[in-house]
Amino acid sequence: AQSVTQLGSHVSVSEGALVLLRCNYSSSVPPYLFWYVQYPNQGLQLLLKYTSAATLVKGINGFEAEFKKSETSFHLTKPSAHMSDAAEYFCAVSSVMAGKLIFGQGTTLQVKP
Amino acid sequence: GAGVSQTPSNKVTEKGKYVELRCDPISGHTALYWYRQSLGQGPEFLIYFQGTGAADDSGLPNDRFFAVRPEGSVSTLKIQRTERGDSAVYLCASSLSGAVYNEQFFGPGTRLTVL
């Protein structure tokens, strides 16, 4: 079985500060990992994905994430937060056999001026 | 259209009624997924279609929920005898194929409210 845990349902940072959103996964098979962003009243949008190639994955809007198998983690980071980054962020896991995505409960990112 | 579309955007119904939610995937996408997102939660998988057939329906909560995709494009999620606990946003996604490395593109969702 696969599962995802996102630590911290709400994260607040100042504009220009580092963004760190935490994601830990559980998987009995090699995982594929994803980060999605959901802006208010919009659909989910893919930020980045890990598919067993490079462990450091770069995504859109300056976000990146590092796959750490020993820690079963896939944390999302951005060096400098922008006001426009305020949104809900979801980590998800899948596998080559599954196709479907298993999502975490989400983290709301607030960016303060 | 350019993206995944879902209709209606909002649906309010009474307990015990039947509802249908529609999803139009991106043209040419063979894989289609339905998810349900309750307030404050992440999306929860319901069912996955590859072409016309349901390849994985393990997420459907009970036999009141049913989905079809008769021509391999548009899909309809059907809920019988709705209950207040069915209130949620129902999301549809499509991808080029069912391969996990293909991006799933999500629609804006249908917000279902059962009174």
Side-chain angles (χ1 to χ4, degrees), chain B residues 11 39 84 97:
Chain B
K11 176 70 177 179
L39 192 63
R84 292 193 179 88
S97 76

Side-chain angles (χ1 to χ4, degrees), chain A residues 6-11 21-22 105-108:
Chain A
Q6 292 184 237
L7 299 175
S9 59
H10 287 83
V11 170
L21 305 182
R22 300 178 186 273
Q105 63 270 49
T107 297
T108 301

Side-chain angles (χ1 to χ4, degrees), chain A residues 32 34 36 38 41-46 49 51 88 90 94-106, chain B residues 33 35 37 40-45 48 56 58-59 91 98-109 111:
Chain A
Y32 284 56
F34 307 79
Y36 279 82
Q38 188 174 36
N41 301 315
Q42 294 187 29
L44 288 157
Q45 180 182 3
L46 181 66
K49 62 183 178 183
T51 58
E88 185 88 13
F90 294 95
S94 187
S95 70
V96 67
M97 291 86 74
K100 66 187 179 187
L101 297 170
I102 306 298
F103 286 88
Q105 63 270 49
Chain B
Y33 305 81
Y35 295 85
Q37 186 174 17
Q41 301 295 317
E44 176 189 23
F45 170 76
Y48 154 49
D56 182 354
S58 62
L91 300 171
V100 65
Y101 45 78
N102 286 145
E103 179 179 351
Q104 291 186 26
F105 293 85
F106 283 79
R111 182 176 300 278

